[in-house]
Amino acid sequence: MIKKIKLVYHVLKNMGLRYIIFRIKYEINLKSGLFLYLFPKNPPNISAISLEEWRKESSFFFFNAKNELKFQKVRNDKLDKYYHDFKSGKLEYFNNFTVDVTKGYDWLKNPKSGFENNIETHWTKINDFSIDEGDIKFVWEKSRFSFLIALIRYDYHFQIDCSADVFHAIEDWIDKNPTNMGPNYKCSQEISIRLLNWTFALYYYKFSEQLTSKRFSKIINSIYWQLKHVRTNINFSRIAVRNNHAITETLMLYLGGTIFSFFKEAAEWKKVGKKWFEEEIIYQVYDDGSYLLYSMNYQRIIVQQLTWAFYLADANRDKFQPIIYEKAKKMIDFLYNFQDENTGFLPNYGANDGTLLFKLNNNNFRDFSPQLNALHYNLYKKHLYEDLNTREDLHWYDKNVGSESVNLKRNSLMKYEEGGYYGFRFDKIKTFIRCGNHKNRPIQADNLHFDLWFEGKNILRDAGTFQYNTSEDMTKFFNGTVSHNTAMLGDFDQMEKGPRFIWYNWTQKKSAFLHEKIDYFEFNGVIKAYLHLSKTISYIRNIKYYKTTHHFEIIDTINHNTDLLIHQIWNPSNDFFDNFEIISAEENGKPINPIYKNGWFSDLYGSKEPTKQIVFSTKNRTIKTIIKAKKQK
């Protein structure tokens, strides 16, 4: 009972009364059976438009059909391998590893756990967070239909018609996933992503012989009922979730109402979708360009969704409020300045579920350049990069692409104080520092985390995410403080872990400054942390980088009244040991011997590799650490 009271108190404090009231009503509707009425199984087929009418009168997409696309065709080995893997029954998951699906399109089975969902189960009865059943994202991944983008790109660049594979997959899904039944109707964001990919395929193969009248009617009917599902359940994402889910779903309503204007509710979907999409962008994208989910990869998702929104609005002579375009510009500025100029990578910071919604290029998953360039070009009509490898995404959105680029110089000092992000770059060094308030729900306990990059390599790094639904020890490691380059008090995380994605006693920034002097850079940040142990604990981190001697001095002080040890944690890559050495001492100068512990690193969702952590521990309040470059032989 005490735990339940505590949960309600913290949820009310962090999420607000509106959230509590909505969740109570939502649970009542679930238990009453109302949702079985609102989301019926096998609703009647609708006949909105014929294939012939649609081919003549459809609204404008990025392109009207494949023959409109005239940009350069480039045969790429990676894309060729993807296609042949697909044909042999292997499908890429989370832009990471391939899964054998040789038995066909088993849309209900978790390929990792082996659990088979029951298609006779209404979506409201599906358990999406069961250890025994496994991470439901492994079920959802295939049903997102992101693989259609790869097949379409292969079709274009290799001039091999893939329409039969594309439409067979869509039709097979429709046949085996009755409306509102099974796991693939559980999440409206997953539905929205699926519909965006189906729409891309419909327009690319608009005049394909494989798109028969019968097949088209089946697809349009399914699109209608899936859109209706998203509209009916939209308040769950707008009130209960209020993150990227809400942006994806409101975008799909706007685009669905625009592109499928022949649906009877299309005008209403377009109107409310646009209104809510604007509200979510204004709320979720901070004024400094950072994002409320405190995650680089989730922020890229918003970049892609803004790109779709802007280009589809342009094609259909529509516009958003000016503030939406300003928010987009701020996002580009934020991400571009923290980007590594050698690789295009951003720090592996925050939750990363492996999502890259529309992979319209051959670049590495971690390279943000193609997506940033596409959005930048829409806003400025100039490329953000000179590198031609960053431009394929844009060619799919825009038929009239010029060649002029802006050649922006990245800032030497990065200060984004609303989101709580700081950093500096000098010569071969780049840093990323987190020191922020949490006015929205945090996912990881990582305040005052410090990333170090050297010659394009992330040598002191965030350990990543791994999986959302995994064992308790893996969740504690990847979500907790220990997987970040920061300090811990005893074995406690900076915040108290609640159920699932919930944290109590959020850390908050008390102060932060970053400046550059003639011979050094200096950052100083103070946060309130470990409030579940005491309300008076503060953590101070001071970082100096000396330009001439090429070394860092990091001083961590945790002011507390406990008998717990302070642990300063470092998660290095192998490249760190090749180029740098690290030593530490107590405030009186007494050396602290390093402890090497077993850790993990997850570069991409669903995979992890063992690593070594460096830990310095003391009974005192302060640890002073020197990180310096090794002398080159």
Side-chain angles (χ1 to χ4, degrees):
M1 178 60 71
I2 293 176
K3 285 186 177 180
K4 289 184 178 180
I5 293 172
K6 184 178 181 180
L7 173 62
V8 171
Y9 167 76
H10 282 285
V11 170
L12 179 60
K13 178 182 176 183
N14 295 334
M15 306 300 293
L17 184 60
R18 180 174 183 243
Y19 171 88
I20 294 288
I21 293 172
F22 175 82
R23 287 309 303 255
I24 291 172
K25 289 182 177 178
Y26 196 84
E27 292 303 317
I28 291 172
N29 290 338
L30 279 175
K31 289 180 170 55
S32 69
L34 178 62
F35 278 6
L36 297 177
Y37 169 78
L38 293 175
F39 301 93
K41 176 185 177 181
N42 292 326
N45 289 338
I46 60 105
S47 180
I49 193 171
S50 70
L51 175 60
E52 292 73 21
E53 291 172 323
W54 176 74
R55 282 172 168 166
K56 294 177 182 177
E57 302 175 10
S58 58
S59 300
F60 292 103
F61 193 60
F62 309 131
F63 45 82
N64 196 42
K66 64 189 291 185
N67 58 7
E68 277 195 2
L69 298 165
K70 304 296 183 183
F71 63 92
Q72 183 179 4
K73 296 177 173 65
V74 179
R75 297 192 172 193
N76 175 270
D77 290 342
K78 185 176 180 180
L79 183 59
D80 188 49
K81 182 179 184 304
Y82 188 105
Y83 172 76
H84 286 96
D85 280 348
F86 174 84
K87 295 295 286 186
S88 66
K90 296 178 181 178
L91 201 61
E92 186 175 78
Y93 274 52
F94 310 117
N95 296 284
N96 187 0
F97 49 83
T98 57
V99 173
D100 192 341
V101 291
T102 51
K103 294 182 179 179
Y105 294 103
D106 190 345
W107 306 103
L108 307 178
K109 186 175 182 179
N110 186 318
K112 190 167 187 177
S113 70
F115 179 80
E116 185 88 26
N117 285 273
N118 185 351
I119 197 59
E120 295 302 319
T121 303
H122 193 265
W123 71 268
T124 56
K125 307 295 183 182
I126 296 292
N127 185 353
D128 62 347
F129 208 77
S130 165
I131 294 296
D132 294 333
E133 297 176 12
D135 191 339
I136 199 171
K137 284 180 62 62
F138 281 84
V139 180
W140 289 341
E141 180 69 8
K142 184 164 50 176
S143 288
R144 284 183 163 192
F145 280 84
S146 295
F147 63 88
L148 296 189
I149 300 297
L151 296 182
I152 289 169
R153 289 185 61 238
Y154 184 84
D155 182 305
Y156 181 80
H157 288 291
F158 286 80
Q159 297 178 279
I160 302 294
D161 186 5
C162 296
S163 58
D165 288 320
V166 167
F167 287 119
H168 170 69
I170 296 174
E171 189 170 22
D172 190 79
W173 189 93
I174 295 170
D175 291 342
K176 295 176 180 175
N177 289 270
T179 301
N180 295 320
M181 304 299 289
N184 294 311
Y185 280 91
K186 178 69 176 179
C187 176
S188 292
Q189 176 172 237
E190 298 298 317
I191 294 172
S192 299
I193 293 170
R194 176 163 57 248
L195 294 184
L196 292 171
N197 285 317
W198 284 13
T199 301
F200 200 99
L202 273 176
Y203 274 87
Y204 185 80
Y205 292 116
K206 188 173 186 177
F207 298 105
S208 169
E209 292 180 359
Q210 290 290 328
L211 185 58
T212 63
S213 294
K214 182 179 179 181
R215 186 172 259 171
F216 174 77
S217 295
K218 180 184 286 189
I219 293 171
I220 289 297
N221 180 69
S222 182
I223 288 174
Y224 171 79
W225 286 109
Q226 290 184 72
L227 269 170
K228 192 172 180 65
H229 178 115
V230 173
R231 174 64 182 93
T232 304
N233 202 37
I234 192 65
N235 281 340
F236 185 82
S237 66
R238 293 185 58 241
I239 299 174
V241 181
R242 205 82 200 266
N243 59 20
N244 62 296
H245 286 243
I247 291 179
T248 307
E249 294 167 33
T250 56
L251 172 66
M252 188 61 241
L253 288 177
Y254 169 67
L255 296 185
T258 301
I259 295 170
F260 304 110
S261 57
F262 42 83
F263 290 145
K264 59 183 179 180
E265 298 98 335
E268 194 266 347
W269 291 347
K270 178 180 178 181
K271 179 181 178 181
V272 298
K274 181 180 181 182
K275 175 178 180 291
W276 292 333
F277 177 76
E278 291 177 327
E279 287 177 359
E280 293 305 322
I281 293 295
I282 292 169
Y283 172 73
Q284 294 190 34
V285 180
Y286 296 157
D287 289 339
D288 63 1
S290 57
Y291 183 52
L292 95 169
L293 274 180
Y294 314 111
S295 161
M296 296 301 182
N297 198 59
Y298 275 114
Q299 189 156 356
R300 175 167 60 176
I301 293 172
I302 309 308
V303 166
Q304 289 191 288
Q305 291 167 336
L306 284 168
T307 304
W308 270 62
F310 291 171
Y311 274 110
L312 262 298
D314 291 346
N316 291 278
R317 298 182 180 181
D318 198 4
K319 283 290 181 184
F320 296 95
Q321 297 178 47
I323 190 175
I324 306 302
Y325 298 95
E326 290 304 312
K327 293 272 188 176
K329 291 176 181 178
K330 292 288 187 180
M331 287 185 75
I332 292 172
D333 175 81
F334 172 81
L335 293 169
Y336 182 76
N337 274 298
F338 281 115
Q339 186 179 38
D340 175 64
E341 58 268 36
N342 298 284
T343 61
F345 289 14
L346 270 289
N348 190 24
Y349 175 77
N352 182 351
D353 69 349
T355 295
L356 179 52
L357 292 180
F358 318 106
K359 196 173 188 313
L360 293 163
N361 58 78
N362 300 311
N363 295 36
N364 189 292
F365 167 80
R366 292 281 305 278
D367 183 359
F368 282 45
S369 303
Q371 297 80 40
L372 290 177
N373 188 67
L375 182 57
H376 185 275
Y377 194 89
N378 179 273
L379 295 168
Y380 298 101
K381 300 308 174 190
K382 294 180 181 179
H383 295 283
L384 187 55
Y385 313 90
E386 290 186 340
D387 184 1
L388 298 180
N389 292 322
T390 66
R391 298 184 182 181
E392 185 182 340
D393 287 53
L394 176 58
H395 285 293
W396 289 95
Y397 300 129
D398 194 327
K399 296 188 289 291
N400 302 301
V401 177
S403 59
E404 187 177 359
S405 57
V406 293
N407 298 320
L408 290 178
K409 184 179 179 180
R410 292 180 174 86
N411 297 337
S412 60
L413 284 180
M414 290 84 80
K415 291 190 285 188
Y416 297 86
E417 297 183 290
E418 185 178 2
Y421 300 95
Y422 303 82
F424 55 86
R425 62 178 77 236
F426 178 78
D427 194 18
K428 300 176 182 180
I429 290 288
K430 180 172 74 72
T431 67
F432 166 78
I433 305 162
R434 167 75 175 144
C435 182
N437 280 319
H438 287 112
K439 60 182 181 180
N440 296 105
R441 184 169 58 192
I443 298 178
Q444 299 180 355
D446 54 17
N447 227 336
L448 289 178
H449 167 78
F450 170 68
D451 245 33
L452 176 58
W453 295 64
F454 177 70
E455 294 183 334
K457 296 177 180 178
N458 190 187
I459 60 174
L460 289 174
R461 58 197 183 181
D462 187 310
T465 299
F466 181 45
Q467 288 180 197
Y468 291 156
N469 187 3
T470 182
S471 63
E472 186 177 343
D473 60 329
M474 287 295 100
T475 297
K476 179 173 175 55
F477 179 84
F478 284 104
N479 284 11
T481 305
V482 70
S483 63
H484 299 91
N485 303 317
T486 185
M488 287 184 73
L489 189 54
D491 293 327
F492 292 92
D493 290 313
Q494 293 177 350
M495 303 179 288
E496 183 181 7
K497 190 71 179 75
R500 298 192 64 169
F501 300 113
I502 301 296
W503 288 97
Y504 307 137
N505 296 300
W506 297 351
T507 58
Q508 301 293 359
K509 176 175 64 177
K510 294 180 71 175
S511 64
F513 73 80
L514 172 68
H515 58 219
E516 180 180 6
K517 299 296 184 181
I518 294 175
D519 56 348
Y520 66 88
F521 292 91
E522 182 177 14
F523 167 82
N524 192 83
V526 184
I527 63 168
K528 294 172 62 179
Y530 303 101
L531 300 179
H532 49 303
L533 301 180
S534 170
K535 302 302 181 185
T536 63
I537 297 176
S538 63
Y539 170 20
I540 305 166
R541 167 162 274 189
N542 184 270
I543 300 171
K544 281 187 178 179
Y545 177 69
Y546 295 91
K547 300 176 183 178
T548 55
T549 55
H550 307 294
H551 80 273
F552 287 89
E553 177 185 276
I554 298 104
I555 301 175
D556 284 332
T557 301
I558 299 183
N559 294 314
H560 66 104
N561 293 311
T562 76
D563 58 358
L564 298 169
L565 294 174
I566 294 175
H567 306 293
Q568 188 189 69
I569 301 158
W570 301 103
N571 292 273
S573 70
N574 290 333
D575 293 306
F576 174 81
F577 299 103
D578 294 336
N579 296 283
F580 288 84
E581 57 187 3
I582 183 169
I583 58 173
S584 189
E586 297 179 346
E587 54 191 321
N588 60 8
K590 181 182 177 181
I592 302 175
N593 293 325
I595 300 170
Y596 294 92
K597 292 187 175 183
N598 294 326
W600 297 98
F601 176 68
S602 176
D603 192 39
L604 296 166
Y605 192 83
S607 63
K608 66 183 188 300
E609 62 184 58
T611 62
K612 288 295 181 183
Q613 291 184 306
I614 304 170
V615 180
F616 297 108
S617 302
T618 181
K619 293 181 179 179
N620 295 322
R621 301 289 184 264
T622 298
I623 297 177
K624 179 179 179 180
T625 298
I626 304 296
I627 300 173
K628 59 182 179 180
K630 290 182 177 179
K631 293 182 180 180
Q632 300 299 315
K633 297 181 179 179

